[in-house]
């Protein structure tokens, strides 16, 4: 009640043509745009960095890779006392629920190792963001929203909101090559990859007329090659291609989605809209993605253990960023 | 003993951990998936930073996990130990560690774009806490005694007369706990805050006892038990024990308790009195922490202990002050109201519970109007509200828009299945397994259950039609051996389907054994027959049954065992009202342990327009995904359920 009264008094006073009110009003008009500008711009400081996205099924090793690359420079400071601290090691990880971004640097020619500490060597460095996404099926929307041409929706659960206009320079699809060896993981992994590639394809072909958005190359990182059960990269590639082909076939024969064709977007469904790669082709191969300017490369490696390591992935990332 | 203690972020990075015995990472991974991602209704806890004592323990593979969550920073604190053990102090440890860790590293944790937190030194803090709590865990420590004693001193003048019933209540837990120190925490500790306050509030006589006891034993009074600590602590997330800094923190503690006593909804004291008590408490706590240095000294990790205690004490003090501080004066409040309005338009407003409450009511109404069961609507709204408290709205974003966005996200998360279903792909992998796998080719078995008259046979025929179009050989088994006319009805469907798909190259037959036979046996025979005759898919119809019909429901378990279906789908009507939740639950539980429903088909979706709330209700109740929706009378009117479509309908405003 009392609050209301003061408010009322305040309101009445503000309507009287007193110099104070004029002054306040004037000041308000003057500063409002400035304030607004500050409000709007303060948030977008990180969005200008180029970024590389990590996607892939849960447990593939995305977060492990992210932490490995981030902690790289810590393990061998300035290259002076090499491997006193041993090789760089990733942090232990568990299932992710929220995306995470890490700022990394690579020398401008893209050849520095992730173990080099660029600040110490004084080389000119390019900075970029590596963005890790959760792989749990219920949370894949967060990753896929980065790929849609429309504005990516931000994740409400994380304090880190998906960088809206991030300049996406590349996409790394991490998968567990050891799990792929036995039955069930292959269809699940391939299904996610299918969704990712299809999103990229739609992004490339969707922008008809206007100039297409810059192409996003894809690295398929076959992880955990340190385990002896893991499939080698070449086998991973052929298995994935075969499985993607199968998925493509069954999806084209599948039921329509609810809502499709019911409303006004009847015109929206075209034959072959959901067909990945060259339409009507019998076998799928990653080469078909080149038609949409999407380069796909399969490279093996490992985050842990004494396998092939992550250097080739880093090189790929460094060159695209 | 503790197996492992981990501090990890929501993005999955373990910031700090201590392992005493190896625990498979899958334990924590499953915990995260079940509690945080899938939010299974059986295991959810408060995700807004409630104390570890309030969050239900998560059990997996002989391990028990106690945990707490720091929402703003997105950090989970989790302790893992063998379920066989009984560690009464564990929830306290988790809470204390959280307070200390956040205090020490909060600033580092707020840095953007890094996952590195330098916390090697945390080892010592952890050791100190562990040591302290382990030692005092099962026994009383003097701060408790002190606390109670002073509780008594403060309580008795004010509350002597109105207390009798509560006195009884108060002393009972004490006695039981005293005689048997190992009581189950969940059993002996009430879980609602209100009750806690009450329990703590009755300090009077017991405290006297404990003072006497203390005089008797001085160093080691056996009277006040861990259970008591539990309740004292629970009343305030991080209240209670600070171990070595006995007297000093004893004061702090007991003041807390006193405040809570007053704040408890028992209407004994007026608000102003409560506030006064709060102020008093705060002042004394500050004093208390300065005294600390004189009173302790026997401990190895002395300096650290001191620091830890002052961190815990100041966290308590802050808590209680926050709780009792009335919003600033009049001018302050109206000013903040105005700036709040302004920010609501421009965005960048930090949301508080008051801001949200009204808007959430609106959202709840909206969901109810869409036919979402009240239970599900309430929980969804609660989840969203918890998630949004303390969140800053975006630029030019109103509260309603923010809520809508959060609701969209949580509906999407709920409705999205944990593994997507590509039915054709799955059938192929069963009927023509890859050469590398050791499985033998066999027909794919699918069965359909549901209450009477929801359209089981119709939807079964729709699925059959779809399969026939894809050139599969389908055997339909008439598992409804109960309702007269059921077999004939199926026969008609099969005849129609044969005609319709003659050109497509599919093949369909009916397997029937008339009425009165045991449905489970018929189903089993049908599967064997299909394997012999080279069918690809067996679709088993079942008798409709009311979900509360014990006898018929129990036969489902045998059915699942005999027929070994790859998929059990339940048909539910989009129309049903409040009954849908109970139906879904009972059917989901009917197949015995280790087997549940694989998905729902929601029929008659075309008749309800936007009121598709039923599907939210049943997914909420069972965590089983909706796979298909029926949208009409024709065989071709079956659709994959699209989450995006569902969410759009649910949130559309008309
Ligand atoms: N042997 C071996 N294990 C690895 C390797 N890379 C990661 N791991 C392990 O795989 C597990 C999962 O790794 P994460 O990085 O958490 O998986 P993720 O991809 O982030 O999974 P989500 O966050 O659930 O999407 C961890 O226990 C890692 O230690 C590797 O190269 N070799
Ligand atoms: Mg991860």
């Amino acid at each position: 009640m009392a609050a209301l009264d003061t408010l009322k008094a305040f309101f009445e006073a503000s309507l009287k043509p007193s110099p104070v009110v004029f002054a306040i009003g004037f000041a308000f008009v003057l500063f409002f745009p400035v304030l607004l500008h500050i409000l709007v711009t303060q948030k977008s400081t990180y969005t200008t960095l180029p970024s590389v996205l990590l996607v892939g099924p849960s447990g593939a090793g995305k977060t492990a890779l992210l932490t490995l690359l981030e902690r790289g420079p810590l393990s061998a400071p300035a290259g002076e006392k090499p491997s006193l601290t041993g090789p760089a090691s990733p942090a232990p990880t568990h299932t992710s629920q929220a995306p995470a971004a890490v700022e990394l640097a690579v020398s401008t020619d893209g050849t520095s190792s992730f173990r080099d500490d660029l600040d110490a060597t004084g080389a000119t460095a390019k900075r970029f963001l590596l963005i890790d996404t959760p792989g749990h099926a219920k949370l894949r929307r967060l990753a896929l929203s980065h790929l849609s041409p429309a504005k990516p929706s931000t994740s409400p659960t994380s304090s880190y909101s998906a960088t809206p206009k991030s300049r996406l320079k590349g996409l790394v699809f991490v998968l567990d090559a050891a799990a792929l060896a036995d039955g069930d993981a292959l269809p699940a992994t391939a299904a996610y990859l299918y969704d990712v590639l299809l999103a990229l394809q739609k992004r490339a072909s969707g922008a008809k007329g206007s100039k297409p958005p810059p192409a996003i190359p894809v690295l398929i990182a076959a992880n955990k090659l340190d385990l002896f059960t893991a499939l080698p990269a070449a086998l991973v590639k052929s298995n994935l291609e075969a499985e993607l082909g199968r998925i493509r076939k069954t999806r084209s024969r599948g039921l329509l989605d609810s809502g499709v064709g019911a409303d006004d977007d009847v015109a929206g469904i075209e034959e072959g809209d959901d067909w990945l790669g060259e339409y009507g082709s019998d076998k799928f191969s990653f080469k078909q993605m080149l038609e949409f300017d999407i380069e796909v490369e399969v490279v093996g490696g490992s985050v842990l253990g004494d396998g092939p390591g992550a250097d080739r992935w880093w090189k790929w990332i460094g060159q695209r960023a | 003993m503790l197996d492992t203690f981990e501090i990890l972020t929501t993005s999955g990075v373990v910031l700090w951990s201590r392992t005493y015995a190896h625990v498979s990472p899958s334990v924590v991974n499953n915990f995260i998936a079940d509690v945080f991602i899938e939010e299974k209704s059986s295991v959810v806890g408060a995700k807004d930073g409630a104390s570890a004592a309030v969050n239900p323990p998560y059990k997996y593979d002989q391990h028990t996990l106690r945990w707490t969550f720091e929402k703003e920073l997105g950090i989970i604190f989790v302790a893992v130990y063998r379920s066989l053990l009984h560690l009464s102090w564990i929830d306290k440890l988790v809470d204390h560690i959280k307070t200390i860790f956040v205090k020490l590293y909060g600033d580092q944790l707020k840095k953007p774009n890094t996952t590195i937190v330098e916390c090697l030194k945390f080892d010592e803090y952890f050791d100190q806490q562990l040591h302290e709590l382990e030692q005092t865990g099962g026994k009383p420590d003097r701060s408790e005694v002190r606390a109670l004693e002073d509780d008594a001193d403060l309580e008795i003048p004010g509350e002597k007369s109105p207390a009798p019933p509560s006195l009884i209540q108060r002393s009972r837990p004490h006695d039981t706990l005293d005689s048997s120190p190992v009581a189950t925490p969940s059993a002996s500790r009430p879980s609602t805050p209100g009750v806690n306050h009450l329990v703590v509030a009755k300090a009077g006589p017991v405290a006297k006892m404990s003072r006497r006891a203390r005089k008797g034993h001085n160093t080691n009074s056996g009277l006040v038990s861990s259970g008591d600590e539990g309740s004292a602590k629970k009343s305030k997330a991080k209240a209670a024990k600070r171990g070595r800094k006995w007297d000093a923190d004893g004061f702090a503690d007991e003041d807390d308790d006193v405040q809570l006593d007053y704040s408890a909804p028992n209407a004994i004291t007026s608000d102003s009195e409560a506030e006064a008590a709060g102020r008093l408490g705060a002042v004394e706590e500050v004093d208390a922490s300065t005294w600390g240095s004189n009173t302790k000294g026997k401990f190895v990790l002395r300096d650290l202990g001191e620091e830890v205690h002052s961190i815990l004490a100041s966290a308590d003090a802050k808590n209680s002050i926050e709780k009792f501080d009335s919003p600033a004066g009049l001018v302050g409040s109206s000013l903040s109201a105005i700036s709040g309005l302004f920010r609501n338009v421009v965005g960048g407003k930090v949301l508080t519970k008051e801001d949200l409450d009204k808007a959430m009511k609106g959202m709840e109404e909206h969901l109810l109007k869409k036919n979402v069961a009240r239970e599900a609507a309430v929980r969804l709204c609660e989840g969203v509200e918890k998630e949004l408290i303390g969140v800053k709205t975006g630029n030019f974003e109103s509260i309603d828009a923010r809520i809508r966005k959060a609701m969209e996200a949580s509906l999407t998360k709920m409705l999205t299945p944990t593994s997507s279903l590509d039915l054709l792909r799955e059938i192929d992998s069963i009927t023509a397994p890859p050469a590398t796998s050791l499985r033998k080719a066999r027909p794919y078995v699918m069965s359909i259950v549901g209450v009477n008259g929801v359209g089981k046979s119709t939807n079964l025929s729709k699925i059959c039609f779809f399969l026939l179009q894809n050139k599969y050989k389908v055997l339909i088994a008439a598992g409804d051996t109960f309702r007269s006319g059921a077999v004939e009805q199926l026969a008609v469907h099969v005849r129609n389907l044969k005609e319709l798909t003659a050109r497509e190259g599919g093949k369909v037959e009916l397997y029937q054994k008339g009425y009165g036979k045991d449905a489970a046996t018929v189903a089993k025979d049908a599967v064997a027959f299909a394997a012999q005759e080279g069918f690809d898919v067996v679709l088993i119809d079942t008798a409709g049954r009311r979900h509360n019909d014990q006898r018929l429901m129990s036969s489902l378990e045998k059915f699942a065992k005999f027929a070994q279906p790859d998929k059990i789908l339940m048909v539910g009507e989009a129309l049903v009202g409040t009954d849908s939740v109970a139906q879904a639950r009972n059917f989901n539980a009917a197949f015995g342990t280790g087997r549940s429903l694989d998905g729902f088909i929601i029929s008659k979706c075309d008749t309800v327009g936007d009121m598709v709330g039923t599907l939210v209700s049943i997914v909420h109740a069972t965590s089983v995904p909706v796979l298909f929706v029926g949208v009409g009378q024709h065989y071709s009117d079956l659709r994959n359920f699209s989450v995006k479509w569902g969410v759009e309908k649910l949130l559309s405003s008309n």
Side-chain angles (χ1 to χ4, degrees), chain A residues 70 92 94-97 101 136-138 243 250 253 256 258, chain B residues 6 10-12 14 29 38 114-115 413 416 418 425 470 640 642:
Chain A
E70 186 185 21
H94 285 296
T95 307
S96 310
Q97 317 160 40
H136 193 282
K138 278 184 183 283
E243 186 63 31
T250 56
R253 295 182 290 148
L256 289 178
S258 55
Chain B
E6 297 197 1
T10 47
S11 44
V14 178
N29 284 343
E38 289 166 38
T114 177
T115 63
K413 196 164 127 188
T416 308
T418 31
R425 176 79 197 86
N470 281 297
N640 270 331
S642 144

mmCIF file of all heavy atoms in Angstrom, chain A residues 70 92 94-97 101 136-138 243 250 253 256 258, chain B residues 6 10-12 14 29 38 114-115 413 416 418 425 470 640 642:
data_model
loop_
_atom_site.group_PDB
_atom_site.id
_atom_site.type_symbol
_atom_site.label_atom_id
_atom_site.label_comp_id
_atom_site.label_asym_id
_atom_site.label_seq_id
_atom_site.Cartn_x
_atom_site.Cartn_y
_atom_site.Cartn_z
ATOM 1 N N GLU A 70 43.375 -28.461 -25.080
ATOM 2 C CA GLU A 70 43.504 -27.275 -24.239
ATOM 3 C C GLU A 70 44.696 -27.375 -23.307
ATOM 4 O O GLU A 70 45.414 -26.408 -23.085
ATOM 5 C CB GLU A 70 42.238 -27.074 -23.406
ATOM 6 C CG GLU A 70 42.274 -25.774 -22.633
ATOM 7 C CD GLU A 70 41.079 -25.620 -21.713
ATOM 8 O OE1 GLU A 70 40.451 -26.629 -21.381
ATOM 9 O OE2 GLU A 70 40.785 -24.485 -21.335
ATOM 10 N N PRO A 92 40.167 -36.283 -16.928
ATOM 11 C CA PRO A 92 39.132 -37.324 -16.917
ATOM 12 C C PRO A 92 37.769 -36.690 -17.219
ATOM 13 O O PRO A 92 37.553 -35.520 -16.916
ATOM 14 C CB PRO A 92 39.183 -37.864 -15.488
ATOM 15 C CG PRO A 92 39.975 -36.887 -14.699
ATOM 16 C CD PRO A 92 40.806 -36.100 -15.647
ATOM 17 N N HIS A 94 33.304 -37.221 -17.952
ATOM 18 C CA HIS A 94 32.062 -37.985 -17.885
ATOM 19 C C HIS A 94 31.097 -37.421 -18.911
ATOM 20 O O HIS A 94 31.383 -36.414 -19.546
ATOM 21 C CB HIS A 94 31.455 -37.907 -16.486
ATOM 22 C CG HIS A 94 32.181 -38.750 -15.481
ATOM 23 N ND1 HIS A 94 32.248 -40.115 -15.578
ATOM 24 C CD2 HIS A 94 32.896 -38.429 -14.383
ATOM 25 C CE1 HIS A 94 32.968 -40.595 -14.585
ATOM 26 N NE2 HIS A 94 33.371 -39.590 -13.838
ATOM 27 N N THR A 95 29.942 -38.080 -19.006
ATOM 28 C CA THR A 95 28.933 -37.642 -19.948
ATOM 29 C C THR A 95 28.659 -36.141 -19.838
ATOM 30 O O THR A 95 28.455 -35.624 -18.757
ATOM 31 C CB THR A 95 27.623 -38.394 -19.670
ATOM 32 O OG1 THR A 95 27.916 -39.781 -19.666
ATOM 33 C CG2 THR A 95 26.578 -38.096 -20.704
ATOM 34 N N SER A 96 28.670 -35.463 -20.958
ATOM 35 C CA SER A 96 28.422 -34.025 -20.949
ATOM 36 C C SER A 96 26.932 -33.735 -21.043
ATOM 37 O O SER A 96 26.198 -34.451 -21.703
ATOM 38 C CB SER A 96 29.113 -33.370 -22.139
ATOM 39 O OG SER A 96 30.446 -33.764 -22.223
ATOM 40 N N GLN A 97 26.520 -32.661 -20.377
ATOM 41 C CA GLN A 97 25.125 -32.214 -20.514
ATOM 42 C C GLN A 97 25.047 -30.862 -21.161
ATOM 43 O O GLN A 97 23.985 -30.409 -21.543
ATOM 44 C CB GLN A 97 24.451 -32.050 -19.168
ATOM 45 C CG GLN A 97 24.699 -33.109 -18.188
ATOM 46 C CD GLN A 97 24.388 -32.592 -16.806
ATOM 47 O OE1 GLN A 97 23.424 -31.882 -16.591
ATOM 48 N NE2 GLN A 97 25.243 -32.920 -15.866
ATOM 49 N N ALA A 101 33.056 -24.362 -24.635
ATOM 50 C CA ALA A 101 33.924 -23.799 -25.655
ATOM 51 C C ALA A 101 35.283 -23.519 -25.035
ATOM 52 O O ALA A 101 35.376 -23.191 -23.869
ATOM 53 C CB ALA A 101 33.330 -22.512 -26.198
ATOM 54 N N HIS A 136 24.651 -37.131 -26.013
ATOM 55 C CA HIS A 136 23.430 -37.849 -25.627
ATOM 56 C C HIS A 136 22.296 -37.516 -26.587
ATOM 57 O O HIS A 136 22.121 -36.362 -26.970
ATOM 58 C CB HIS A 136 23.051 -37.448 -24.203
ATOM 59 C CG HIS A 136 22.004 -38.331 -23.599
ATOM 60 N ND1 HIS A 136 20.680 -38.201 -23.911
ATOM 61 C CD2 HIS A 136 22.090 -39.355 -22.721
ATOM 62 C CE1 HIS A 136 19.988 -39.113 -23.236
ATOM 63 N NE2 HIS A 136 20.835 -39.821 -22.508
ATOM 64 N N ALA A 137 21.546 -38.543 -26.961
ATOM 65 C CA ALA A 137 20.534 -38.360 -28.006
ATOM 66 C C ALA A 137 19.548 -37.247 -27.679
ATOM 67 O O ALA A 137 19.082 -36.538 -28.567
ATOM 68 C CB ALA A 137 19.785 -39.666 -28.226
ATOM 69 N N LYS A 138 19.238 -37.067 -26.415
ATOM 70 C CA LYS A 138 18.260 -36.043 -26.059
ATOM 71 C C LYS A 138 18.832 -34.634 -26.194
ATOM 72 O O LYS A 138 18.101 -33.667 -26.152
ATOM 73 C CB LYS A 138 17.781 -36.246 -24.617
ATOM 74 C CG LYS A 138 16.692 -37.287 -24.476
ATOM 75 C CD LYS A 138 16.220 -37.328 -23.045
ATOM 76 C CE LYS A 138 15.180 -38.390 -22.801
ATOM 77 N NZ LYS A 138 13.842 -38.043 -23.288
ATOM 78 N N GLU A 243 26.767 -48.198 -44.107
ATOM 79 C CA GLU A 243 25.645 -48.001 -43.192
ATOM 80 C C GLU A 243 24.845 -46.745 -43.558
ATOM 81 O O GLU A 243 23.617 -46.743 -43.511
ATOM 82 C CB GLU A 243 26.154 -47.918 -41.756
ATOM 83 C CG GLU A 243 25.067 -47.847 -40.691
ATOM 84 C CD GLU A 243 24.180 -49.083 -40.643
ATOM 85 O OE1 GLU A 243 24.671 -50.183 -40.949
ATOM 86 O OE2 GLU A 243 22.991 -48.939 -40.323
ATOM 87 N N THR A 250 16.421 -46.799 -46.153
ATOM 88 C CA THR A 250 15.235 -47.028 -45.324
ATOM 89 C C THR A 250 14.521 -45.723 -45.006
ATOM 90 O O THR A 250 13.308 -45.696 -44.922
ATOM 91 C CB THR A 250 15.577 -47.735 -43.999
ATOM 92 O OG1 THR A 250 16.552 -46.978 -43.309
ATOM 93 C CG2 THR A 250 16.077 -49.133 -44.237
ATOM 94 N N ARG A 253 12.100 -44.750 -47.550
ATOM 95 C CA ARG A 253 10.892 -45.564 -47.604
ATOM 96 C C ARG A 253 10.063 -45.426 -46.341
ATOM 97 O O ARG A 253 9.011 -46.032 -46.222
ATOM 98 C CB ARG A 253 11.277 -47.037 -47.794
ATOM 99 C CG ARG A 253 11.945 -47.333 -49.118
ATOM 100 C CD ARG A 253 12.227 -48.813 -49.226
ATOM 101 N NE ARG A 253 13.287 -49.223 -48.315
ATOM 102 C CZ ARG A 253 13.337 -50.427 -47.741
ATOM 103 N NH1 ARG A 253 12.396 -51.305 -47.964
ATOM 104 N NH2 ARG A 253 14.319 -50.737 -46.950
ATOM 105 N N LEU A 256 6.018 -40.857 -43.206
ATOM 106 C CA LEU A 256 6.169 -39.403 -43.138
ATOM 107 C C LEU A 256 6.192 -38.962 -41.678
ATOM 108 O O LEU A 256 5.670 -39.638 -40.812
ATOM 109 C CB LEU A 256 4.983 -38.725 -43.824
ATOM 110 C CG LEU A 256 4.921 -38.831 -45.334
ATOM 111 C CD1 LEU A 256 3.659 -38.152 -45.827
ATOM 112 C CD2 LEU A 256 6.145 -38.188 -45.959
ATOM 113 N N SER A 258 4.961 -36.698 -38.605
ATOM 114 C CA SER A 258 3.701 -36.034 -38.291
ATOM 115 C C SER A 258 3.847 -34.549 -38.586
ATOM 116 O O SER A 258 4.896 -33.957 -38.346
ATOM 117 C CB SER A 258 3.359 -36.234 -36.819
ATOM 118 O OG SER A 258 4.419 -35.794 -36.008
ATOM 119 N N GLU B 6 34.049 -36.907 -6.749
ATOM 120 C CA GLU B 6 34.380 -36.163 -7.957
ATOM 121 C C GLU B 6 33.673 -34.817 -7.987
ATOM 122 O O GLU B 6 32.552 -34.673 -7.515
ATOM 123 C CB GLU B 6 33.977 -36.963 -9.201
ATOM 124 C CG GLU B 6 34.727 -38.254 -9.305
ATOM 125 C CD GLU B 6 34.659 -38.860 -10.689
ATOM 126 O OE1 GLU B 6 34.037 -38.260 -11.596
ATOM 127 O OE2 GLU B 6 35.238 -39.944 -10.861
ATOM 128 N N THR B 10 29.035 -29.488 -15.820
ATOM 129 C CA THR B 10 27.984 -30.015 -16.683
ATOM 130 C C THR B 10 28.515 -30.318 -18.069
ATOM 131 O O THR B 10 27.918 -31.078 -18.805
ATOM 132 C CB THR B 10 26.818 -29.021 -16.823
ATOM 133 O OG1 THR B 10 27.370 -27.733 -17.092
ATOM 134 C CG2 THR B 10 25.985 -28.966 -15.575
ATOM 135 N N SER B 11 29.627 -29.707 -18.442
ATOM 136 C CA SER B 11 30.160 -30.052 -19.759
ATOM 137 C C SER B 11 31.005 -31.322 -19.710
ATOM 138 O O SER B 11 31.593 -31.687 -20.714
ATOM 139 C CB SER B 11 30.936 -28.882 -20.349
ATOM 140 O OG SER B 11 31.758 -28.299 -19.395
ATOM 141 N N GLY B 12 31.044 -31.973 -18.579
ATOM 142 C CA GLY B 12 31.616 -33.309 -18.546
ATOM 143 C C GLY B 12 33.066 -33.395 -18.124
ATOM 144 O O GLY B 12 33.642 -34.473 -18.153
ATOM 145 N N VAL B 14 36.004 -33.442 -15.454
ATOM 146 C CA VAL B 14 36.226 -33.639 -14.026
ATOM 147 C C VAL B 14 37.260 -32.629 -13.564
ATOM 148 O O VAL B 14 38.400 -32.633 -14.013
ATOM 149 C CB VAL B 14 36.712 -35.069 -13.739
ATOM 150 C CG1 VAL B 14 36.982 -35.251 -12.255
ATOM 151 C CG2 VAL B 14 35.694 -36.076 -14.221
ATOM 152 N N ASN B 29 28.504 -41.938 -15.191
ATOM 153 C CA ASN B 29 27.843 -41.626 -16.458
ATOM 154 C C ASN B 29 26.355 -41.944 -16.410
ATOM 155 O O ASN B 29 25.528 -41.170 -16.880
ATOM 156 C CB ASN B 29 28.492 -42.401 -17.601
ATOM 157 C CG ASN B 29 29.819 -41.802 -18.013
ATOM 158 O OD1 ASN B 29 30.109 -40.653 -17.685
ATOM 159 N ND2 ASN B 29 30.615 -42.559 -18.716
ATOM 160 N N GLU B 38 17.996 -37.510 -18.616
ATOM 161 C CA GLU B 38 16.699 -38.129 -18.889
ATOM 162 C C GLU B 38 15.694 -37.785 -17.800
ATOM 163 O O GLU B 38 14.506 -37.957 -17.980
ATOM 164 C CB GLU B 38 16.866 -39.639 -19.028
ATOM 165 C CG GLU B 38 17.582 -39.983 -20.329
ATOM 166 C CD GLU B 38 18.078 -41.411 -20.380
ATOM 167 O OE1 GLU B 38 17.386 -42.303 -19.885
ATOM 168 O OE2 GLU B 38 19.166 -41.631 -20.921
ATOM 169 N N THR B 114 37.203 -21.761 -21.135
ATOM 170 C CA THR B 114 38.269 -22.635 -20.674
ATOM 171 C C THR B 114 37.667 -23.713 -19.789
ATOM 172 O O THR B 114 36.599 -23.534 -19.225
ATOM 173 C CB THR B 114 39.340 -21.862 -19.892
ATOM 174 O OG1 THR B 114 40.311 -22.806 -19.427
ATOM 175 C CG2 THR B 114 38.753 -21.133 -18.700
ATOM 176 N N THR B 115 38.329 -24.834 -19.728
ATOM 177 C CA THR B 115 37.844 -25.873 -18.821
ATOM 178 C C THR B 115 38.865 -26.135 -17.725
ATOM 179 O O THR B 115 38.750 -27.073 -16.964
ATOM 180 C CB THR B 115 37.616 -27.193 -19.568
ATOM 181 O OG1 THR B 115 38.874 -27.644 -20.088
ATOM 182 C CG2 THR B 115 36.637 -27.037 -20.695
ATOM 183 N N LYS B 413 13.407 -31.970 -24.927
ATOM 184 C CA LYS B 413 14.273 -32.939 -24.272
ATOM 185 C C LYS B 413 13.466 -34.136 -23.788
ATOM 186 O O LYS B 413 13.875 -35.281 -23.937
ATOM 187 C CB LYS B 413 14.950 -32.247 -23.090
ATOM 188 C CG LYS B 413 16.131 -32.977 -22.539
ATOM 189 C CD LYS B 413 16.939 -32.040 -21.669
ATOM 190 C CE LYS B 413 17.168 -32.642 -20.317
ATOM 191 N NZ LYS B 413 17.783 -31.736 -19.375
ATOM 192 N N THR B 416 12.094 -36.249 -26.933
ATOM 193 C CA THR B 416 13.090 -36.888 -27.796
ATOM 194 C C THR B 416 13.497 -38.233 -27.201
ATOM 195 O O THR B 416 13.873 -38.305 -26.044
ATOM 196 C CB THR B 416 14.353 -36.019 -27.915
ATOM 197 O OG1 THR B 416 13.960 -34.717 -28.304
ATOM 198 C CG2 THR B 416 15.314 -36.585 -28.934
ATOM 199 N N THR B 418 15.701 -41.583 -26.357
ATOM 200 C CA THR B 418 17.140 -41.737 -26.125
ATOM 201 C C THR B 418 17.812 -42.458 -27.291
ATOM 202 O O THR B 418 19.009 -42.319 -27.482
ATOM 203 C CB THR B 418 17.428 -42.517 -24.842
ATOM 204 O OG1 THR B 418 16.376 -43.422 -24.646
ATOM 205 C CG2 THR B 418 17.534 -41.583 -23.675
ATOM 206 N N ARG B 425 15.090 -50.141 -40.712
ATOM 207 C CA ARG B 425 16.495 -50.480 -40.502
ATOM 208 C C ARG B 425 16.636 -51.571 -39.440
ATOM 209 O O ARG B 425 17.422 -52.506 -39.576
ATOM 210 C CB ARG B 425 17.239 -49.210 -40.067
ATOM 211 C CG ARG B 425 18.665 -49.390 -39.725
ATOM 212 C CD ARG B 425 19.526 -49.484 -40.982
ATOM 213 N NE ARG B 425 20.844 -50.040 -40.683
ATOM 214 C CZ ARG B 425 21.116 -51.330 -40.634
ATOM 215 N NH1 ARG B 425 20.172 -52.226 -40.861
ATOM 216 N NH2 ARG B 425 22.329 -51.749 -40.357
ATOM 217 N N ASN B 470 6.627 -51.811 -48.215
ATOM 218 C CA ASN B 470 8.071 -51.977 -48.314
ATOM 219 C C ASN B 470 8.469 -53.430 -48.589
ATOM 220 O O ASN B 470 9.602 -53.827 -48.338
ATOM 221 C CB ASN B 470 8.735 -51.474 -47.046
ATOM 222 C CG ASN B 470 8.849 -49.967 -47.049
ATOM 223 O OD1 ASN B 470 9.518 -49.400 -47.895
ATOM 224 N ND2 ASN B 470 8.156 -49.308 -46.127
ATOM 225 N N ASN B 640 5.311 -40.967 -38.410
ATOM 226 C CA ASN B 640 6.362 -40.906 -37.401
ATOM 227 C C ASN B 640 6.067 -39.724 -36.507
ATOM 228 O O ASN B 640 5.702 -38.659 -37.004
ATOM 229 C CB ASN B 640 7.717 -40.648 -38.059
ATOM 230 C CG ASN B 640 8.416 -41.922 -38.419
ATOM 231 O OD1 ASN B 640 8.225 -42.947 -37.780
ATOM 232 N ND2 ASN B 640 9.222 -41.861 -39.456
ATOM 233 N N SER B 642 6.942 -36.573 -34.852
ATOM 234 C CA SER B 642 8.006 -35.572 -34.941
ATOM 235 C C SER B 642 7.970 -34.690 -33.704
ATOM 236 O O SER B 642 6.950 -34.065 -33.406
ATOM 237 C CB SER B 642 7.821 -34.744 -36.209
ATOM 238 O OG SER B 642 8.198 -33.406 -35.982
#
